[in-house]
Amino acid sequence: MAWPRVRLGDVVSLEYGKSLPADLRDPRGKFPVAGSNGPHGQHTSAFVSSPGIVVGRKGSAGRVIWYDEDFWPIDTTYYVVPKISLDMRWTYFMLSHLQLNQLATTTGVPGLNRNDVYNLGIYLPPLAEQRRIVDILDQADRLRRLRDEADANAARILPALFIKMFGDPGNNPRKLPTVELATVVIKGPQNGLYKPASSYGGGTKILRIDGFYAGEVSNLDTLKRLKASPEEIAKYGLEKSDIVVNRVNSEEYLGKSAIIPALSEPVVFESNMMRFTVDTLQILPEFVVAHLQTSFTRAEMLSKAKRAINQPSINQQDVRSLTILLPSLADQKRFIIASNKVRTLVFRFETERVKLKRLFDVLIHRAVSGTLSGSLQ
């Protein structure tokens, strides 16, 4: 039997969060203060009971966050109140799938109008079916989170290996020579190509920030394509051993970097990253990418970052002025041999994580469209 299609505003209400200035919060409290992009500290009281759902209203507009405990949603958020009998976990998965961030206004601070959300149509399964769907999706979500944790642990191995071989760049215990990155750069840094969404769909491959992980491009075959002129391809075309750095993103991903492998066809790079090339007679690109992932260099980049309304950013001069250790080429090569063994493991983990994410995305799409059947084994 087909599920009825209903207006979202007929089954849930998005209520405004309540202001709680930072100086009035009590960090000794056990209740999370919920902002549009996640927890913003703790407080001694809450005004929404668990389980609950927060939807970003300002800032990270449209982001959907689940809370297992009682919480205090602040005034940059909505919190979800069902109008009918709903499984809250199903409601969370359903709202997450709707990609509410696409409804956000982009003028000034991104904002989400709840009436736009209310007008969305959804398929409404019976309560028992909602709970069955939740059981399946929670199993898939647990697998996905376990893989994410394994990836995070594996990704920490490379910086640890760097520290073991060369010491912490912050105190340089081996008294290695240090230089500004600019002294070993022979090309760039250069910001990437901006094209409107209407340009995507066919043509030249483009590397975006979701296309590389742990210092390496994940899979060239999955890159999106866009229409680019010969002049744009000549200007923004990547080459083997180029280094790309994420210049605009959340603090967690700012400065994320990778080395470009051999390419079988032209590939350009997106505007929210920059690329540069180093002098391999002095320093090896694999070593530079590993250096950029150390906590010292990450902290240096964050200290230089400009914090606009939306996301922090670094510019070309910020990257050029980074402090870099300069061990011998022989020591750099020994490090690369050891790190390649680790990268093989990390890359395999990342490939499995991507597969699990795709599985989860398929499951959640089928769940909210009424085509999910069976169970996850």
Side-chain angles (χ1 to χ4, degrees):
M1 181 174 138
W3 299 341
R5 189 165 176 84
V6 300
R7 179 176 173 271
L8 185 58
D10 293 334
V11 296
V12 300
S13 175
L14 300 182
E15 302 293 332
Y16 287 103
K18 185 176 180 181
S19 176
L20 183 63
D23 59 350
L24 297 182
R25 301 171 196 174
D26 191 334
R28 297 168 298 178
K30 66 176 183 178
F31 302 106
V33 178
S36 64
N37 62 347
H40 279 233
Q42 304 290 121
H43 196 50
T44 52
S45 60
F47 77 91
V48 177
S49 299
S50 62
I53 304 165
V54 164
V55 177
R57 185 176 72 88
K58 293 288 185 182
S60 296
R63 182 175 178 183
V64 182
I65 305 171
W66 172 264
Y67 283 90
D68 279 314
E69 64 269 81
D70 296 354
F71 60 98
W72 186 304
I74 59 176
D75 53 354
T76 59
T77 70
Y78 300 114
Y79 62 96
V80 178
V81 177
K83 292 182 176 180
I84 63 174
S85 183
L86 295 174
D87 183 280
M88 285 296 283
R89 189 72 174 159
W90 176 85
T91 304
Y92 163 74
F93 284 128
M94 178 268 297
L95 290 172
S96 299
H97 176 71
L98 291 175
Q99 298 180 320
L100 302 179
N101 61 304
Q102 295 184 4
L103 298 176
T105 59
T106 56
T107 302
V109 179
L112 182 69
N113 185 313
R114 60 182 176 177
N115 288 323
D116 293 335
V117 179
Y118 289 161
N119 287 328
L120 295 174
I122 63 165
Y123 289 99
L124 182 64
L127 187 58
E129 184 67 7
Q130 293 176 32
R131 290 168 178 161
R132 188 188 73 86
I133 289 169
V134 166
D135 286 342
I136 295 172
L137 293 178
D138 272 339
Q139 288 182 65
D141 199 35
R142 279 192 293 271
L143 290 174
R144 187 179 62 162
R145 285 186 280 111
L146 285 171
R147 175 50 62 199
D148 286 347
E149 291 171 11
D151 286 347
N153 289 333
R156 282 191 285 268
I157 296 175
L158 283 172
L161 178 63
F162 184 99
I163 298 299
K164 181 179 180 180
M165 293 189 67
F166 303 111
D168 185 350
N171 53 37
N172 193 10
R174 290 168 175 72
K175 307 303 179 185
L176 295 171
T178 61
V179 296
E180 284 195 351
L181 182 60
T183 65
V184 294
V185 169
I186 57 174
K187 180 181 176 183
Q190 173 197 7
N191 292 357
L193 172 66
Y194 170 77
K195 299 284 275 188
S198 58
S199 297
Y200 283 77
T204 305
K205 287 184 177 180
I206 182 166
L207 180 67
R208 310 194 315 164
I209 60 171
D210 57 357
F212 55 95
Y213 179 83
E216 291 190 346
V217 176
S218 302
N219 190 342
L220 290 169
D221 293 335
T222 63
L223 297 183
K224 292 188 175 182
R225 294 179 179 270
L226 51 63
K227 299 180 183 69
S229 68
E231 294 77 17
E232 289 171 331
I233 294 173
K235 182 175 181 179
Y236 298 103
L238 292 167
E239 297 178 3
K240 185 178 184 296
S241 298
D242 280 351
I243 295 169
V244 291
V245 179
N246 186 2
R247 67 180 187 88
V248 182
N249 211 309
S250 63
E251 289 191 358
E252 180 183 1
Y253 297 109
L254 189 70
K256 173 184 172 186
S257 58
I259 185 169
I260 301 302
L263 302 171
S264 60
E265 64 176 288
V267 179
V268 296
F269 64 108
E270 198 176 37
S271 62
N272 57 4
M273 64 180 76
M274 65 180 79
R275 67 99 172 261
F276 61 91
T277 308
V278 295
D279 179 5
T280 55
L281 295 179
Q282 300 184 69
I283 198 166
L284 301 177
E286 296 89 346
F287 174 80
V288 174
V289 168
H291 203 308
L292 295 177
Q293 307 311 309
T294 64
S295 58
F296 169 79
T297 307
R298 299 273 305 139
E300 189 178 6
M301 280 191 280
L302 288 174
S303 72
K304 298 174 184 291
K306 287 73 179 170
R307 286 166 173 78
I309 293 175
N310 296 331
Q311 295 177 322
S313 64
I314 50 176
N315 60 33
Q316 295 172 10
Q317 182 54 37
D318 294 333
V319 172
R320 291 175 60 84
S321 64
L322 291 173
T323 304
I324 301 293
L325 299 178
L326 193 59
S328 69
L329 284 176
D331 284 344
Q332 292 179 44
K333 289 176 182 176
R334 278 192 286 271
F335 167 75
I336 291 166
I337 291 170
S339 65
N340 282 343
K341 296 177 182 178
V342 176
R343 288 184 186 280
T344 299
L345 177 65
V346 171
F347 186 75
R348 187 170 73 244
F349 281 177
E350 169 63 6
T351 301
E352 293 174 1
R353 187 190 69 82
V354 170
K355 289 179 180 177
L356 280 173
K357 182 181 183 303
R358 288 174 180 164
L359 169 64
F360 184 79
D361 290 344
V362 169
L363 287 173
I364 198 169
H365 173 74
R366 292 173 60 190
V368 300
S369 61
T371 59
L372 182 63
S373 61
S375 61
L376 187 68
Q377 300 300 321

